[in-house]
Amino acid sequence: MAESRSVPDWTFGLPLRALETIAEKLPSGRDAAFFRLVCPPWSAALPFERFAPVLMLLPSESDPAPPPSRNASFYSVIDDECHDVPLPELRGGRVVVCGASHGWLALVDEAASVTLLNPFAAGGRRLRVALPPADRSVALASLKTVSMVDGAWVLHYTSGATKPIKLNNIRDIFFREIVLSAPPNNSRGATCNAMAVLANSTEIAFCRLGDTAWTLVDAKLDCPVTSVVYCHD
């Protein structure tokens, strides 16, 4: 009978310095992305910023509807190459991308529910984090009057007319852009704050992981806020 041998643990068993040395020698952004997917220690040894920037290419509104097996194309500036990543979450036009920070996408569906998604995690290991959904106060900050009817948002006009809010209208009613201060699962223990630019508003919205609602803050500007950038803490 052959002698049984224990299989070494190449994930959690390697010292951090060894992982960092390996990470420094990776030849491409694609290799770096897959290196980070092995386990939390490997991800911590190679911060996302080391192989950024990576640009996500989305079809324009005039492009034909994507096939059911929807992939997302990511362009690596370092490698000057495009890589296709399966993203079934984008299949069928069920969500709209409302921001990207630290390698995470902010997705909003027709019910104005917000999910953070790590597109570089594969299959069942794909990482998702829920943020509070948008509500009437967020819409009112964008000077829009809405209500929830039978589980769907409806827009009310001053004339008294109403209109169902479809996915392609979500960014005009609720969130224009969502920006994160840190990855939700970062190894530094930094708090992940989400800041949202609203549609045509001088107010901005923010939340922390675990919050049940967005908090509105008046920027006290003479014009609408169009962009938010997180820099130097």
Side-chain angles (χ1 to χ4, degrees):
M1 180 180 297
E3 181 182 355
S4 61
R5 298 180 180 180
S6 60
V7 179
D9 185 352
W10 294 109
T11 56
F12 289 82
L14 291 177
L16 177 61
R17 183 55 194 154
L19 293 173
E20 291 175 341
T21 300
I22 296 171
E24 291 173 356
K25 299 181 181 300
L26 295 175
S28 70
R30 179 182 178 87
D31 291 333
F34 283 106
F35 181 92
R36 282 173 49 87
L37 297 179
V38 175
C39 64
W42 288 46
S43 178
L46 180 57
F48 177 78
E49 290 76 7
R50 284 275 303 279
F51 66 93
V54 178
L55 307 179
M56 182 178 180
L57 307 181
L58 294 174
S60 67
E61 294 181 359
S62 61
D63 288 343
S69 59
R70 172 74 182 270
N71 289 344
S73 294
F74 290 88
Y75 171 70
S76 171
V77 176
I78 295 176
D79 303 334
D80 190 23
E81 292 181 353
C82 281
H83 306 295
D84 286 341
V85 175
L87 275 183
E89 291 82 1
L90 302 184
R91 187 180 303 162
R94 294 174 295 186
V95 296
V96 60
V97 179
C98 285
S101 298
H102 304 283
W104 289 71
L105 302 176
L107 308 179
V108 182
D109 64 15
E110 204 166 84
S113 298
V114 184
T115 302
L116 302 180
L117 172 74
N118 184 339
F120 297 107
R125 298 178 57 243
R126 197 181 306 283
L127 302 178
R128 301 178 183 85
V129 175
L131 292 183
D135 53 22
R136 290 188 73 252
S137 63
V138 172
L140 287 172
S142 298
L143 305 180
K144 302 293 193 301
T145 303
V146 301
S147 65
M148 182 72 78
V149 178
D150 295 330
W153 286 107
V154 174
L155 177 63
H156 297 264
Y157 294 94
T158 54
S159 64
T162 61
K163 176 184 177 181
I165 299 175
K166 298 300 183 182
L167 188 63
N168 59 351
N169 306 126
I170 286 293
R171 296 183 66 191
D172 298 323
I173 308 297
F174 297 108
F175 301 122
R176 225 7 134 171
E177 181 184 19
I178 296 175
V179 178
L180 305 179
S181 64
N185 63 339
N186 70 89
S187 59
R188 298 180 291 111
T191 301
C192 175
N193 299 312
M195 209 70 145
V197 178
L198 307 182
N200 193 35
S201 177
T202 60
E203 295 186 79
I204 51 180
F206 80 90
C207 71
R208 299 179 178 88
L209 296 187
D211 287 352
T212 57
W214 292 82
T215 299
L216 294 173
V217 178
D218 192 343
K220 300 187 183 303
L221 297 175
D222 296 329
C223 60
V225 178
T226 58
S227 182
V228 170
V229 176
Y230 183 81
C231 182
H232 298 301
D233 297 327

